[in-house]
Structure formats: structure tokens, C-alpha cells
Amino acid sequence: MTPSQDSDDRTFMAVAKAEARTGRGEGGIPIGAALVVDGKVIGSGHNRRVQLGSPIRHGETDALEQAGRQPASVYRRATMYTTLSPCDMCTGSILLYEIPRVVMGENRTFMGGEDYLRSRGVEVVNLDDPECVAMMDEFIAESPELWNEDIGE
């Protein structure tokens, strides 16, 4: 990873972290995401399962929703930034739209489909960001039942 790429990754991860904080402030799960194309955020979102009573509105799927309909060529140039390793559903969305790169904040509190993404040619970067870890550790300690619901346990 080049120094400018690392700087860009941290800049765009800050957008995802802000979304995660917003979600937590709304009483939801602190997971945020941003979809970036050609150095521009085209959609950002956060886990809204609690707020919307939705089984599918994770951070990544919310960012896709906020980006709106895009031509396939746009997704194929995108990077998905997410504060947490993407679950199987979000992994599937990334693969469906052929998003070639995923940058995650952390995978200590939850490890999703990273190996599957890599096996399908997606570049996966883990920033192991202490703030992302702290947000999830705090949330899991405060709301274990809601966390278990979110991950399907």
C-alpha cells in the first residue's frame, strides 16, 4: 500500500466511523460504511436494523442504498469502507456488484467473509483501527443481546 493510499484509506474510514457513531447515537449498532469511487464518497450509511426494524440494513447495504442505482462500471471502480469485517450478507453484496476493494476498520470483534472475498479476487485491507475496536467492544459489553441478534446468534 502506498503512503497516499494509506492516507486516503484513513480519510474515508473516518467517514465510516462518523456513520457508526451516528448509528449508535440513534440507539442502533455502531457499524458504518462508505462507498468511494474515484476519490469521492458516493454513498455512506450505518447499520439501521434497530432504527428501521430491518433485517438487511447493515452499514454496507445502507451505504449502497444511499449511493443509489449505479452502472456496473461505477461499482467496479469502488472501494467499500466499513468499520467492521463484512458479514456474509454484505460480502455477498460486495461480490454481486463486483466491488474490487474492501477496507475494514477491524476484525477482532467479528470476522466475516474476508477469506471468501479474497478467494474471489477482492483486495481486503484491515486497518485494525483502535477506535473501531473500542466502539464495538463497548457496544458488545453494553448490549450483548442486540449484538447477538445482529450476528444471528
Side-chain angles (χ1 to χ4, degrees), residues 53-110:
S54 170
I56 61 170
R57 213 49 152 333
H58 284 193
E60 298 90 335
T61 56
D62 193 46
L64 285 165
E65 178 72 16
Q66 299 308 315
R69 251 175 88 193
Q70 300 292 329
S73 62
V74 171
Y75 296 117
R76 291 181 187 135
R77 295 192 321 269
T79 297
M80 178 65 78
Y81 290 85
T82 177
T83 57
L84 186 64
S85 179
C87 73
D88 289 341
M89 179 179 66
C90 295
T91 292
S93 296
I94 290 162
L95 293 173
L96 176 67
Y97 292 105
E98 298 181 27
I99 297 169
R101 187 166 186 266
V102 174
V103 177
M104 71 182 109
E106 63 105 350
N107 66 358
R108 291 188 209 180
T109 59
F110 176 81

Side-chain angles (χ1 to χ4, degrees), residues 29 47-58 149-150:
I29 298 161
N47 186 305
R48 296 178 196 248
R49 290 185 68 251
V50 172
Q51 299 91 313
L52 298 177
S54 170
I56 61 170
R57 213 49 152 333
H58 284 193
E149 175 190 318
D150 194 62

Side-chain angles (χ1 to χ4, degrees), residues 85-148:
S85 179
C87 73
D88 289 341
M89 179 179 66
C90 295
T91 292
S93 296
I94 290 162
L95 293 173
L96 176 67
Y97 292 105
E98 298 181 27
I99 297 169
R101 187 166 186 266
V102 174
V103 177
M104 71 182 109
E106 63 105 350
N107 66 358
R108 291 188 209 180
T109 59
F110 176 81
M111 183 179 277
E114 300 167 37
D115 289 339
Y116 188 52
L117 287 168
R118 286 185 191 98
S119 78
R120 298 283 301 271
V122 176
E123 178 187 358
V124 178
V125 176
N126 182 2
L127 298 179
D128 197 27
D129 182 280
E131 184 181 359
C132 291
V133 174
M135 276 194 288
M136 289 309 300
D137 279 345
E138 182 179 301
F139 171 74
I140 292 167
E142 290 174 2
S143 303
E145 66 293 331
L146 191 54
W147 172 241
N148 287 333

